[in-house]
Amino acid sequence: MNVIRSQKAWLSPLLAGLAALALLLSGGLASASESDLVLPDLGTQSFGGVDGRTLLLGGIVVCALGFVFGIVIFSQLNKLPVHRSMREISELIYETCKTYLVTQFKFILILEVLIGAVMVLYFGVLRHMEATKVVVILLSSLVGIAGSCGVAWFGMRINTFANSRAAFASLKGKPFPTYAIPLKAGMSIGAVLISTELMLMLMILLFIPGDYAGPTFIGFAIGESLGASALRIAGGIFTKIADIGSDLMKIVFNIKEDDARNPGVIADCTGDNAGDSVGPSADGFETYGVTGVALISFILLAVPDAGVQVQLLVWIFVMRIVMVLASIGSYLLNEAIAKASYANADKMNFEAPLTRLVWLTSIVSVALTYAVSAFMIPDLGGDPSLWWKLSSIITCGTLAGAIIPEMIKIFTSTESRHVREVVTASREGGASLNVLSGLTAGNFSAYWMGLVLVVLMGVSYLISAQGLESLMMAESVFAFGLVAFGFLGMGPVTIAVDSYGPVTDNAQSVYELSLIENVPNIEAELKKDFGFTPNFDKAKHYLEENDGAGNTFKATAKPVLIGTAVVGATTLIFSIIVVLTRGLTANVDRLSLLHPPFLLGLVTGGAVIYWFTGASTQAVSTGAYRAVEFIRANIRLEGVEKASITDSKKVVEICTQYAQRGMFNIFLGVFFSTLAFACLEPFFFIGYLISIALFGLYQAIFMANAGGAWDNAKKLVEVELKEKGTPLHAATVVGDTVGDPFKDTSSVAMNPIIKFTTLFGLLAVELAIEIDRTTSIVLAAVFFVLSTVFVYRSFYGMRIKSGERAPAAAGARVTA
């Protein structure tokens, strides 16, 4: 509530923005756009004797089965044995996560009021749509928000009890359960997330009237993008405030990792879920949906033949349905192989079965892509060769989903030369050379990742030029959209290996916080109640080693999502271009460096990306300062076994406060910047969107992989070298704290920011193009000033001010 009250200072610029928006809406009617798109009758085309509508109805059944699969795994994990000391810790983490999420949901609803006002004014006032259709659009945006928030909640819930189950399973002294439980939790999240998203989109396709479907999809996509943006930004800020606050205590007081006396550890565990579970779940849900909306919009805008539209629409959704089956089947097969290989082993490479799962799913998906395409579209538009050409384009994306993780491991795995270089540099050069070598790894990774994307997109472009032009305009743009589609083809597995990380991270923390080794007669109790004698040394080693694998695969999922955002944004930007050029028949020359506004837009997008990076990092640094200040003033290292719940909750409160403040400044800065640049000049805005995507791509890859290298360098020192508490360890901890906002705050939030800016830009530019030039310039100035208010506040309202001290807990004293 304190944070909500503090927003009163922002009420005036918000009201001014809405007033300017109302003036913007006083213009005339806009030209045809995505809101006017009408879906063709999907039952008019037959596929192997089954009409398209019936085929997709069967897809809903498959989605329901995928959802049930995820829920069954949820139930199985919940029933796994766990000692009460560990269960109590995981439930405490869940309660703090729940409090954080409820607060974030309230903020998202406040933002939805703002976005909803824009949609009501646009669709109801400017487009003169009937009230029923406007209500449907608003409801669809709420469904999008509910979907993002719902899967985020589900991911958080399963991860916050899988952590204690994994920690307990490690006590048996075998590595396999320590691996199997986090992956099982991840597959549950992946199956539920993708099945829910796909089911919602199929229901819009099949049950919403065709003339309502276009605006409904746009409203749905904006809603899920809003939810994902807020949860990603706030979660990324929260988790790194807590992580840095907790980690720095290891240096200040020379205490161990996840020391139960450190009140920052519970906040760190909460942050692991807020940033690495809640954020990615919402982000994955939104990415999957927005990519689908982009392809639907493209097909309806760029393909003139209604029959071909139906064939392509049904084909891409059947492909998504098949990929759900491919992911689940590959997981079951991979687990059978892993169990046969490692069930009784005393040592295992935790990364090996995860890598095999990704490649197995990719290969199965590619094979099914060709098989299903040959069956469904053997003669698309009269061309019998297009089925394999379209399959090959999707395959570029599907292979990227496997190739990119392999590339990322070169820079972030504990086995990689770059990570070992970070450790080597740190041994003689301390924190200074640690930071420099991590920056080097990040820069190199951006180079190689860029080349991989260029090759895969280049191949898709060359294939698209072999006949697709007869069916549609801008066939290369469609090819790029299909590459993004392929990226997400094995969505459940991509989500699973990403969600593996927060469970392994929390499992290690739950073990330490439970103080299970200090429980009286614990060995006899475990033997009597659970039938085994614990091996504490092996358990700690396996948990730490598996955390390194979790770090690696968290790192591999991030470029897949950011790459999808950029490639998918290309398709969305094309939709705006179609509106501005009246179907590529006018003003095409303005999409050129010879048109100065377009060039200036390219320059401006880069500026905004660097502001966003600084603003999100500023929120982390200020929040971490306050968290460290409080922890240092209140930590008690003598006479207690663990920190008080009150102090731990206070650290969570500090993290939540700065996460919300940072997110609010950033989101409104993006919101008003989008309106300002859309009003300034439409082709300036196109350049701006392209620039946001490209600068964001490389900034995100660089920061994510540099952070991953720093993170696993620290893990290498802790697990392989066993040098905790040494100057080398201190140097790697410093590098890790630098990498924290790199990999888990600024970089990961680029993805939803790019997509929200592009999606909201669809409305913003259409709002702007119908008013006279003078009014447009005035409004651009007004919105730009409003954006600078929040840009200013993102630093000067968040900066660390000297002379202020965090309040000490009653009766607290510091003892080193």
Side-chain angles (χ1 to χ4, degrees), residues 659-679:
Q660 289 174 334
R661 287 177 61 185
M663 181 269 290
F664 211 78
N665 281 324
I666 290 168
F667 187 87
L668 290 177
V670 170
F671 176 80
F672 285 117
S673 291
T674 303
L675 287 173
F677 299 140
C679 289

Side-chain angles (χ1 to χ4, degrees), residues 23-33 36 122 125-128 579-580 582 678-679 681-682 763-776 779:
L23 177 59
L24 174 59
L25 289 161
S26 65
L29 290 173
S31 58
S33 67
D36 299 310
Y122 173 65
V125 177
L126 181 63
R127 310 288 315 169
H128 298 302
V579 173
L580 296 178
R582 302 191 185 102
C679 289
E681 209 268 355
L763 297 184
V765 78
E766 290 168 18
L767 287 171
I769 58 178
E770 293 299 320
I771 60 179
D772 66 85
R773 184 64 179 153
T774 301
T775 304
S776 178
L779 289 173

Side-chain angles (χ1 to χ4, degrees), residues 524-655:
E525 180 186 342
L526 292 178
K527 181 67 176 176
K528 176 185 175 184
D529 294 344
F530 299 99
F532 69 89
T533 301
N535 189 322
F536 297 116
D537 290 335
K538 282 189 175 181
K540 286 184 285 189
H541 177 78
Y542 292 145
L543 290 172
E544 284 190 323
E545 187 177 359
N546 198 26
D547 188 26
N551 290 338
T552 299
F553 277 85
K554 279 191 297 184
T556 63
K558 290 166 187 171
V560 172
L561 290 176
I562 186 63
T564 305
V566 172
V567 178
T570 304
T571 314
L572 286 169
I573 292 169
F574 170 79
S575 299
I576 302 175
I577 291 173
V578 168
V579 173
L580 296 178
T581 60
R582 302 191 185 102
L584 304 183
T585 61
N587 299 322
V588 178
D589 59 310
R590 297 189 181 184
L591 297 169
S592 164
L593 296 180
L594 298 178
H595 183 57
F598 180 78
L599 176 59
L600 293 173
L602 292 174
V603 176
T604 306
V608 170
I609 287 295
Y610 278 88
W611 158 71
F612 171 78
T613 302
S616 52
T617 305
Q618 178 65 44
V620 170
S621 61
T622 304
Y625 177 90
R626 294 300 177 208
V628 168
E629 187 179 50
F630 178 83
I631 294 169
R632 291 187 67 169
N634 295 284
I635 192 170
R636 305 182 73 171
L637 301 179
E638 294 179 0
V640 296
E641 280 192 323
K642 59 175 64 178
S644 73
I645 299 299
T646 301
D647 285 353
S648 295
K649 288 185 175 180
K650 178 61 181 177
V651 179
V652 172
E653 182 184 331
I654 291 170
C655 297

